[in-house]
Amino acid sequence: MDPTPHPSVTALLQTPTTARLRPLFEGNNISFAIGFKHINYVAEAAVLHHFREAGLPVVDLYRRHGLGFDVVDIRSRLGALLAVDDEVEAVVTPKTKDGENRFRFRVEQFVERDGKRVRCADSTLVVALRVDGHIRAEEPWPAGLERFTTARLGTGERLDLAAAPVPYGEFTAGRGTSADPVLGELIGETNAFGWRWRVGYFYCHYNERVQMSGFLRIMEEVEDLFLADRGLAIKEVLDTRGWIPVVTQSHIELLDETVMEEELYTVYTVENIFKTLLYTTRMDCYVLRDGQLVKTATGSITHGYLHEKEPNQWEMAEFDEATVTALTTPRKAVS
């Protein structure tokens, strides 16, 4: 019979928490609204607060127990706009099921609008505790925590390709655009864009691997590169049509570990266009490891545009024919 869980573990699994948080000004990229990446950052911060409230802050998990905190899956549905000066009421509700070996949480973000409580985002986050080989645990794990620990994130499954991956060599190589046979094979005839580069340390945590916030940044950057590649560069669209990008849903799942300075192949595929208002893309990430590709992350995002009908009054913009053509016409060149 399993031992009675430590009170801190019971709190993680059973006790809802509420944090009052503010988004970072960094996320205020266009107009007064906060972008999807930083809305997800607030959801992550709320779960970090939940761990602190339970008595298991991530610093103690790492220093005392040798465990790294990793968000391995984040799925968000975005509702009302989150403004740069908003104070968010972030409610974390434990959703871990019996027998699951990952923590699962629902995070709802509420703001006040004209005296009313409005939900601006609803997320599900999955958290794993990764045993860190760099340090030695100072004390045993609290009872009930072991089932949520893992020696490695993912399985390391290899992808067979006809094209032979060749390392770039220099760290600064690959940041521009160049033809790549592996990306060409991954993309094939699909409506996709490809990007190959080396991951810097500033995307990583615990001295080693890319964290979830890093993949949120990668998703944002590949979208920017994709739009520019299709003739829809964000600044130009803003200047000529008055449209700003908006995200309604996003999802990223870590399938394996991506290690600092590994070469990352990111394939960004347009999957659907809905009623000339929204389009959905899929992001698949691979690393070059021992001469083979390993799929380390996957995700999806739903995008549209807002148009400023009157000052500070926004409505969904309907895609014109040129935009639909750009989104649906694959380019032969890859980056």
Side-chain angles (χ1 to χ4, degrees):
M1 181 179 295
D2 293 336
T4 301
H6 188 276
S8 60
V9 178
T10 300
L12 283 177
L13 293 170
Q14 297 182 7
T15 306
T17 58
T18 299
R20 303 202 72 87
L21 304 165
R22 288 188 185 273
L24 295 177
F25 185 59
E26 179 194 326
N28 179 212
N29 304 129
I30 298 173
S31 187
F32 57 83
I34 294 296
F36 92 100
K37 179 180 65 179
H38 279 265
I39 293 173
N40 280 300
Y41 284 3
V42 172
E44 182 183 61
V47 173
L48 290 169
H49 174 80
H50 182 77
F51 272 72
R52 295 185 193 106
E53 289 291 288
L56 286 173
V58 295
V59 170
D60 283 359
L61 282 172
Y62 189 71
R63 293 179 61 182
R64 294 169 57 187
H65 304 300
L67 297 173
F69 171 99
D70 276 274
V71 177
V72 295
D73 196 298
I74 184 167
R75 185 185 300 269
S76 297
R77 183 181 295 271
L78 311 181
L81 289 177
L82 179 62
V84 65
D85 289 320
D86 279 332
E87 183 178 57
V88 177
E89 177 193 353
V91 180
V92 177
T93 305
K95 292 292 183 180
T96 308
K97 298 178 182 178
D98 291 343
E100 280 192 307
N101 61 359
R102 299 286 189 269
F103 290 104
R104 186 179 301 273
F105 304 101
R106 182 184 184 185
V107 181
E108 298 170 278
Q109 297 183 40
F110 298 94
V111 296
E112 187 174 318
R113 293 278 186 272
D114 300 323
K116 296 181 180 179
R117 186 172 181 252
V118 176
R119 183 165 59 192
C120 61
D122 193 347
S123 304
T124 299
L125 282 79
V126 180
V127 174
L129 301 180
R130 161 69 150 75
V131 179
D132 198 301
H134 296 101
I135 61 174
R136 179 178 298 175
E138 296 177 357
E139 56 188 80
W141 301 325
L145 199 66
E146 183 171 3
R147 88 181 218 227
F148 302 104
T149 67
T150 182
R152 181 180 178 81
L153 306 177
T155 62
E157 183 178 356
R158 266 44 175 182
L159 179 69
D160 291 327
L161 289 171
V166 178
Y168 274 122
E170 295 296 327
F171 181 71
T172 54
R175 293 300 296 182
T177 58
S178 61
D180 185 279
V182 174
L183 280 174
E185 185 173 339
L186 288 171
I187 291 171
E189 298 300 318
T190 62
N191 185 10
F193 170 83
W195 177 36
R196 178 189 179 185
W197 60 295
R198 292 182 70 180
V199 179
Y201 79 92
F202 38 84
Y203 288 86
C204 304
H205 64 177
Y206 300 119
N207 311 326
E208 184 177 40
R209 59 191 178 276
V210 179
Q211 58 181 306
M212 179 59 77
S213 64
F215 278 105
L216 287 166
R217 292 162 64 190
I218 291 164
M219 177 176 273
E220 186 174 56
E221 188 162 3
V222 74
E223 167 75 11
D224 181 64
L225 292 171
F226 160 76
L227 289 174
D229 183 71
R230 295 295 177 91
L232 295 171
I234 290 174
K235 181 68 163 60
E236 182 179 353
V237 172
L238 271 170
D239 289 345
T240 59
R241 305 180 206 182
W243 294 359
I244 64 170
V246 63
V247 173
T248 60
Q249 294 186 67
S250 67
H251 172 231
I252 297 177
E253 179 184 3
L254 306 191
L255 305 175
D256 205 285
E257 297 177 4
T258 303
V259 178
M260 185 188 303
E261 297 187 5
E262 282 192 309
E263 294 178 13
L264 191 70
Y265 293 80
T266 304
V267 178
Y268 200 64
T269 307
V270 178
E271 294 197 309
N272 293 295
I273 296 180
F274 302 102
K275 299 181 179 179
T276 66
L277 290 173
L278 297 167
Y279 65 97
T280 299
T281 53
R282 188 182 75 252
M283 180 182 77
D284 296 304
C285 296
Y286 308 83
V287 297
L288 177 59
R289 190 172 293 158
D290 300 326
Q292 293 181 296
L293 290 189
V294 179
K295 190 173 183 178
T296 59
T298 189
S300 62
I301 191 167
T302 302
H303 259 287
Y305 287 98
L306 290 179
H307 173 70
E308 193 171 23
K309 184 179 180 182
E310 296 180 15
N312 292 326
Q313 292 187 22
W314 301 89
E315 64 181 11
M316 292 298 295
E318 187 170 354
F319 302 155
D320 54 27
E321 184 177 348
T323 300
V324 173
T325 299
L327 292 173
T328 56
T329 305
R331 287 168 57 96
K332 292 300 181 183
V334 294
S335 306

